[in-house]
Every structure is written in C-alpha cells, then in structure tokens.
Amino acid sequence: MFQSQFTHLTKLLKSKIIRLFVLLALLNNLSGCTYLIVKTAATDLPTGTIVDDMWLEQKTDYTLTQALPSNAEIAVGSYDRTVMVVGVVPTVSIQRKESELLEENNLIKGYYNLTVVNPYPPSVSVVEDYALTKLVETNMIGEIDPLKFKILAFNHVVYLMGYANAQDHRMALKVASHTAGVVSVVDAIKPYPIYPTAPVQYIPT
C-alpha cells in the first residue's frame, strides 16, 4: 500500500513540475531544442507540442513577411498546428495571397486568416501588443490554465485559440475582455468535444 501511494505521489509531483516549466517557458517566451509534450488537461484535450507551434509560428511569419509589401502589418499564432494570421494588409489580392501560402503549407492542420484590408494601416506597436499578450496570460493564472489557449494581440485586439469546455471558455473570454488595454476580443476557441466548424466570434469589451 505504501509503495502504491508513493508511486502516485511521484507521478503527481512530476506532472506539476512539468506544467510549471511549460508555464514559465510561455510567460518568458523561451525556446529550445527539447520537445515538451503537453496535455493541457488530464483527460479531455489533445496532445500538442509547444515547440512545434513556436517553430510553425516563426516559419509562417517569415514566409508571409517575405511575400508581403512593407506596408502590411501582421502577427501569427499557432495552437495545435492551427494557425491564425491577424493584422492589416493593403489590398484584397494580398489577403488572398496570404491564404494561398497558408494552404500550401502541409504542416498546418487548419488556419484563420483574419487580416483586414486597409491601404492606410494604423501605427502598431509590437512592444505594446507583446506586453498585452503577456498581461492577459498573467491575468488568467489563478482563474484558468493559460496553457489551454493561444493568446495573440494586435493593435489592442486580443485573439484567443484553443480547446475548452463551456466553463473554461467563458472564463477565458471574461479574463481577456476585462484586461486593461483590450478594446475587443476575437473568439476562435473550439468547444470540446471539438467541432471544427465552430465560428469565429467578435466580442466587444
């Protein structure tokens, strides 16, 4: 009996330590060559690789940036190899080109191209958007596990991706919409069990 209790305690401690290191990696934007296989809940969410998503974000951002004109402003996020592209592009043809490039990437399971067309893009602060992303993540701690979601900010609009049950879904939207500096929240969270056709919703704060 003692042996079984000890084994259970060891597994529990290991799982908490792993989740702590993953959380620290997200909050500090760390990268590395070690693959961290993360299951964001014990039984109900798909297994994804954080490093895979980070690499896919960088690769997609580079590919799109090389193909876009200098007056386009975009940001890229990935969750479980579903990619979201947000920002501003000058023409509809450029927007279509983005979608074509995303379609050609066999590593992407699915994508959201949420860029808007504006020939006169607003001035966007990458530093402010990064800080806002981290602020939303920090505010989630204690309320909900931020590892369940991909949080992306662009021009004070927060975009959420991931898989969640109804309770966690509502909490994520509440935390994001009540974070200082957020003007609106775009909801691309899929309910679990996963329904691939779940629509993207735009939620004013």
Side-chain angles (χ1 to χ4, degrees):
M1 180 178 178
F2 175 78
Q3 180 64 32
S4 63
Q5 291 177 340
F6 179 80
T7 302
H8 175 73
L9 179 60
T10 301
K11 289 180 179 179
L12 181 62
L13 288 173
K14 285 182 177 179
S15 67
K16 290 184 177 295
I17 290 171
I18 289 171
R19 290 169 68 81
L20 175 61
F21 275 111
V22 172
L23 180 58
L24 289 173
L26 281 179
L27 294 179
N28 291 284
N29 198 30
L30 299 179
S31 61
C33 58
T34 303
Y35 281 76
L36 301 176
I37 307 302
V38 179
K39 196 175 229 182
T40 58
T43 58
D44 60 348
L45 295 178
T47 300
T49 307
I50 289 180
V51 175
D52 281 348
D53 279 326
M54 292 173 65
W55 178 83
L56 189 56
E57 286 176 9
Q58 294 172 4
K59 179 178 175 60
T60 303
D61 183 81
Y62 177 80
T63 300
L64 293 178
T65 301
Q66 293 299 305
L68 297 179
S70 59
N71 60 340
E73 297 279 354
I74 65 166
V76 178
S78 176
Y79 183 92
D80 196 31
R81 293 194 294 121
T82 296
V83 170
M84 177 182 285
V85 183
V86 304
V88 181
V89 294
T91 65
V92 174
S93 62
I94 294 296
Q95 189 182 51
R96 290 172 180 164
K97 179 64 175 177
E98 284 181 311
S99 295
E100 290 172 1
L101 291 171
L102 293 170
E103 290 276 2
E104 292 171 1
N105 191 335
N106 294 328
L107 297 176
I108 296 175
K109 293 197 304 187
Y111 70 87
Y112 299 103
N113 185 358
L114 301 183
T115 54
V116 297
V117 177
N118 185 347
Y120 306 102
S123 176
V124 177
S125 171
V126 176
V127 174
E128 288 182 7
D129 286 337
Y130 178 82
L132 187 57
T133 298
K134 295 304 176 185
L135 182 58
V136 174
E137 289 179 356
T138 301
N139 289 347
M140 283 188 177
I141 298 173
E143 300 290 344
I144 190 174
D145 186 353
L147 295 179
K148 290 183 176 181
F149 309 101
K150 177 64 186 183
I151 305 164
L152 189 64
F154 184 87
N155 200 24
H156 301 285
V157 177
V158 168
Y159 301 79
L160 299 176
M161 281 196 300
Y163 308 108
N165 59 35
Q167 181 179 349
D168 289 347
H169 193 163
R170 288 192 297 270
M171 181 57 70
L173 297 178
K174 179 181 177 180
V175 172
S177 62
H178 285 78
T179 296
V182 175
V183 297
S184 63
V185 178
V186 178
D187 175 19
I189 298 171
K190 295 179 181 179
Y192 191 89
I194 301 164
Y195 301 102
T197 56
V200 174
Q201 301 183 46
Y202 295 80
I203 301 172
T205 57

